[in-house]
Amino acid sequence: MTLEDFSEYTDEGGGADDADATETGVDTAAATDGIDAAAGSGDGSPDDADDVTGPDGGADEEFAAYDVDPAGSDAGLGVVSVSQGLRISEEEDDTALKAFVTTGNRDAIRLGKYLVVPYPNGERLFSRITALEYAQEFQSDDATEIHARRQMRRDDFAERDYKFMAELEPMSIVYDDDGGLSRRMTDRVPKPGAVVEEAADDAEIKTGLKIPEEGVFLGHLSVGGEKVRTAAEPPTVDYRITDDYADGDPLAFRHTLVAGGTGSGKTHASKNVLRQYLDPDRTYPMDDGREARMAVVQFDPQDEYAQMHDDNPAMDASTARRFEREGIAHGGHDDTVALVPKVPNATYPGEGHRAERVEFTIPFSMVNEYDMPWLVAGSGLNENQYPALLTLLNRFFSDYGDSGTYRQFLSFLDDPALKEELDESGRVHEKTFEAVMRRVRGVPGGVFDGDAKPITDLDHTLVRSGGLSVVPTYHLPTSRQKEIVVLAVSTMLVGDKLSNDPRSDRIKETPLLIGMDEAHNFLADADNVQARKVLDTFTEAAKQGRKERLGLFLITQDPQDVAESVFKQVNTKIVLNLGDEDAIASVNIPSNLAGKVPYMEKGQMAVYSPDNSEPVELIGLSTCVTRHGK
């Protein structure tokens, strides 16, 4: 008999199924269909057998004790199963915790969902789904031609033929503690058959994941791109970053990285977060007993952040009310100033905002005052040339004082007697002198000592308690000019923050967050002396940030290019969509989150902040809290 000979049989006539029974000796479909016909839910569990009849046609007393409600009406998603072992271990790989999911609940199950399992004494195991699988319900071979042909004739999937198992990762035990909830490490195994439920209580979810109740809002908890819903109002779970000293230092001063590719929504997300730090109710205790608000200085390569001065015209009244109910700061920030670097042949348009504009220039004296010799050297000075530059700068400022300008320095270097003197004394070789001169002359004209107020005289404008200062560089013609401006101003801020004898008491005594977009352009690893000096400065700033109330807020689409010495000081990583494997690997987030990053939609993010919570997936606000875009 050939396979074609089976075509005359139909399921209705029993032909194909009977042939299967004859061929294999085990009529799997008949057995399962028989149970399904008699059972209520058809998920293959013993409960489904309550209506199975005995040989005499009467109800089998063995199943009479089971009283099964229709599928979907059960409390919970399923039960803890011991069929494949049940074990909690100190070693994660040795833990075996699985739940059998009933048929009516299977479509709602997703990887990453948060579940709770009760213990007899009222404690609850908080866990996360890490794997899903179908397992054989009956001892049969479903890899046969006849079985496949029968399945292909069906209009729907015969799910009752399989067990659906969810593998769980225990995350914590949640328990009542003097009227509130607390968590501890997993130290108990749940009982076999314990009902498994989806976590649906806001307080329990936050406790299970160690999410603070108060702090800086980042987004709403999600799984697979869908917000986690609870029975509370609002039904979403807000995720916040610790921002007080009750449980350690505010995480703003332990630094933040926002990483995302083009179009991922990183600027939108960054604006939303920075706006929270500018909330009037957010203050930080200072050593002198004052409560001071955060000052934010944001370096802006695309002229987008000064828009934070303005309200978002796309925000409607209902969205604003929802933000207010959830304690999310929103609306334009009136105390926003655009500090615009002025250089020849470059005009700042500033058409996208109504913030006040103040022009400034970089005085050449900063090179000496803030110990930034690398600012005039460009790149490429070797270990011999850099000390020569120091010698020349020290000699110059000794002669001219802090009033010395860049043009005067060039004239100073043009003196042939100086070159001859230094060469004959053995302090600077003639060829080294000439190499340094070429580098110094490579500085773009007009970047120093322009026709505007020196930034060193604008410290009270640059740093204001509760104020946002935006330094746009989009209008500057060359990347070298942008680099000089960003590094000069940021190093001035860091220098006064870390100094025991600061030139600006305002900078020293104000909580400060330095936001740096395209951070990879300024804080990248390099082999030259200047780059190492820059990195040393910012690495020290990152290390001392907690003590000095200084935070770095780094934004980049190329996190793999940010120097490791700075990167490893970052505690909070906010990762949006990244398509580059090296970029994803560099942010060093847990593998379960890293695998989702390439598939994240705009606004979705993975947050890894070990000192704040368990690693989580979030959805940011779809409406920017301030103006954003054209």
Side-chain angles (χ1 to χ4, degrees):
M1 180 177 288
T2 65
L3 288 174
E4 287 74 8
D5 294 324
F6 286 99
S7 63
E8 62 183 283
Y9 297 101
T10 65
D11 287 343
E12 289 78 3
D17 288 350
D18 291 342
D20 187 20
T22 303
E23 185 79 13
T24 65
V26 179
D27 188 358
T28 304
T32 59
D33 289 346
I35 290 177
D36 180 48
S41 65
D43 61 8
S45 65
D47 289 355
D48 291 328
D50 62 328
D51 293 329
V52 176
T53 58
D56 60 356
D60 192 329
E61 294 183 1
E62 181 179 354
F63 297 100
Y66 296 92
D67 183 16
V68 180
D69 293 328
S73 65
D74 304 314
L77 299 175
V79 295
V80 172
S81 170
V82 297
S83 63
Q84 300 177 43
L86 176 58
R87 181 172 61 254
I88 299 294
S89 172
E90 291 181 344
E91 300 295 330
E92 183 178 340
D93 292 341
D94 291 337
T95 294
L97 178 60
K98 292 191 176 184
F100 172 81
V101 182
T102 55
T103 305
N105 292 303
R106 294 177 183 181
D107 287 343
I109 293 296
R110 297 287 187 275
L111 282 177
K113 273 198 177 256
Y114 300 110
L115 306 179
V116 289
V117 183
Y119 293 102
N121 67 343
E123 295 181 339
R124 291 158 77 83
L125 174 66
F126 190 87
S127 59
R128 183 175 66 88
I129 298 177
T130 57
L132 295 169
E133 68 171 336
Y134 279 104
Q136 281 188 303
E137 176 71 34
F138 303 101
Q139 293 299 317
S140 62
D141 185 358
D142 62 0
T144 65
E145 182 73 16
I146 295 173
H147 182 91
R149 295 279 290 275
R150 182 188 305 112
Q151 292 295 108
M152 291 165 69
R153 295 189 191 108
R154 287 179 167 170
D155 292 332
D156 58 353
F157 171 56
E159 192 159 9
R160 60 183 174 270
D161 292 351
Y162 302 91
K163 294 183 291 187
F164 191 63
M165 308 298 294
E167 186 171 327
L168 310 184
E169 174 194 1
M171 302 184 75
S172 61
I173 290 178
V174 178
Y175 61 94
D176 290 326
D177 184 19
D178 293 331
L181 292 177
S182 294
R183 74 192 295 268
R184 69 169 188 270
M185 65 175 289
T186 306
D187 57 7
R188 299 176 60 194
V189 64
K191 301 299 182 184
V195 175
V196 178
E197 301 176 8
E198 185 173 350
D201 180 81
D202 180 87
E204 189 170 53
I205 292 172
K206 286 187 174 182
T207 303
L209 292 171
K210 204 180 66 172
I211 299 174
E213 281 289 341
E214 303 293 336
V216 175
F217 176 86
L218 294 192
H220 292 109
L221 189 67
S222 65
V223 173
E226 296 182 0
K227 293 180 182 178
V228 173
R229 299 284 174 174
T230 71
E233 181 57 40
T236 50
V237 180
D238 56 313
Y239 182 91
R240 296 178 183 273
I241 289 286
T242 298
D243 198 45
D244 59 39
Y245 288 91
D247 299 313
D249 299 310
L251 291 183
F253 305 134
R254 300 183 65 182
H255 320 304
T256 302
L257 174 81
V258 180
T262 301
S264 65
K266 65 179 181 296
T267 303
H268 178 126
S270 296
K271 285 183 176 180
N272 286 340
V273 175
L274 292 172
R275 179 65 181 84
Q276 307 312 304
Y277 284 110
L278 296 167
D279 189 330
D281 295 330
R282 194 170 303 286
T283 61
Y284 303 87
M286 305 301 290
D287 292 337
D288 58 6
R290 292 179 301 117
E291 288 283 336
R293 292 174 60 191
M294 182 82 84
V296 176
V297 177
Q298 175 68 39
F299 295 95
D300 185 3
Q302 297 298 329
D303 198 23
E304 296 175 295
Y305 289 91
Q307 292 179 334
M308 293 177 64
H309 173 273
D310 305 333
D311 291 339
N312 185 353
M315 184 182 299
D316 55 35
S318 63
T319 301
R321 287 193 297 270
R322 176 165 57 84
F323 287 171
E324 289 167 6
R325 287 196 302 271
E326 296 190 51
I328 301 170
H330 66 91
H333 188 64
D334 291 339
D335 191 4
T336 298
V337 175
L339 280 140
V340 182
K342 185 177 181 180
V343 300
N345 303 317
T347 301
Y348 172 66
E351 298 171 347
H353 64 83
R354 299 194 303 272
E356 177 188 358
R357 304 179 199 182
V358 177
E359 292 184 329
F360 73 91
T361 187
I362 304 296
F364 188 67
S365 60
M366 288 184 71
V367 172
N368 183 51
E369 292 175 344
Y370 288 91
D371 191 22
M372 293 188 283
W374 39 265
L375 204 58
V376 296
S379 61
L381 289 185
N382 59 35
E383 298 290 347
N384 292 324
Q385 294 165 352
Y386 191 77
L389 173 63
L390 291 179
T391 298
L392 293 170
L393 286 170
N394 289 337
R395 178 78 170 263
F396 171 76
F397 284 111
S398 176
D399 292 348
Y400 286 81
D402 287 339
S403 62
T405 66
Y406 175 67
R407 287 185 178 278
Q408 289 173 330
F409 184 56
L410 294 181
S411 298
F412 172 78
L413 295 179
D414 283 337
D415 183 0
L418 174 67
K419 179 170 68 172
E420 182 179 353
E421 173 197 336
L422 294 176
D423 183 46
E424 290 179 353
S425 67
R427 298 181 65 188
V428 178
H429 190 276
E430 179 183 14
K431 296 297 184 183
T432 302
F433 188 101
E434 292 172 353
V436 171
M437 278 190 65
R438 287 194 297 271
R439 294 296 181 188
V440 171
R441 290 188 178 281
V443 173
V447 71
F448 290 117
D449 308 313
D451 183 20
K453 200 165 187 178
I455 191 63
T456 47
D457 293 343
L458 290 170
D459 56 324
H460 283 237
T461 303
L462 179 63
V463 175
R464 307 177 313 283
S465 181
L468 168 63
S469 294
V470 179
V471 182
T473 57
Y474 180 76
H475 63 294
L476 299 180
T478 70
S479 60
R480 182 76 179 108
Q481 288 172 318
K482 296 176 183 180
E483 181 184 46
I484 289 175
V485 167
V486 172
L487 291 180
V489 178
S490 60
T491 303
M492 168 185 163
L493 295 170
V494 169
D496 278 333
K497 262 297 182 186
L498 302 186
S499 175
N500 292 323
D501 184 23
R503 287 169 175 78
S504 170
D505 291 334
R506 166 63 70 88
I507 295 174
K508 178 70 174 180
E509 297 171 358
T510 306
L512 177 62
L513 190 67
I514 299 176
M516 188 177 288
D517 207 337
E518 297 187 0
H520 56 278
N521 287 334
F522 310 103
L523 300 178
D525 265 323
D527 294 333
N528 61 69
V529 180
Q530 302 91 288
R532 289 200 297 271
K533 296 292 184 182
V534 172
L535 291 180
D536 287 347
T537 298
F538 280 88
T539 300
E540 187 63 23
K543 289 179 179 179
Q544 299 296 326
R546 284 185 287 178
K547 181 178 70 174
E548 301 295 342
R549 294 172 180 82
L550 168 66
L552 302 180
F553 193 90
L554 309 179
I555 307 163
T556 178
Q557 61 184 357
D558 296 313
Q560 71 275 19
D561 292 337
V562 176
E564 184 180 358
S565 61
V566 175
F567 203 111
K568 67 182 182 181
Q569 302 298 327
V570 173
N571 185 271
T572 301
K573 300 169 187 174
I574 303 171
V575 185
L576 294 94
N577 180 280
L578 285 170
D580 184 87
E581 292 183 0
D582 291 337
I584 296 172
S586 71
V587 293
N588 194 29
I589 61 177
S591 59
N592 64 293
L593 289 179
K596 298 179 180 181
V597 167
Y599 306 100
M600 286 182 168
E601 299 293 332
K602 187 173 184 177
Q604 288 180 243
M605 62 188 80
V607 176
Y608 184 45
S609 184
D611 292 335
N612 191 70
S613 75
E614 298 288 344
V616 294
E617 174 192 335
L618 303 182
I619 293 181
L621 298 174
S622 57
T623 301
C624 191
V625 297
T626 68
R627 185 172 182 176
H628 179 64
K630 294 182 180 179

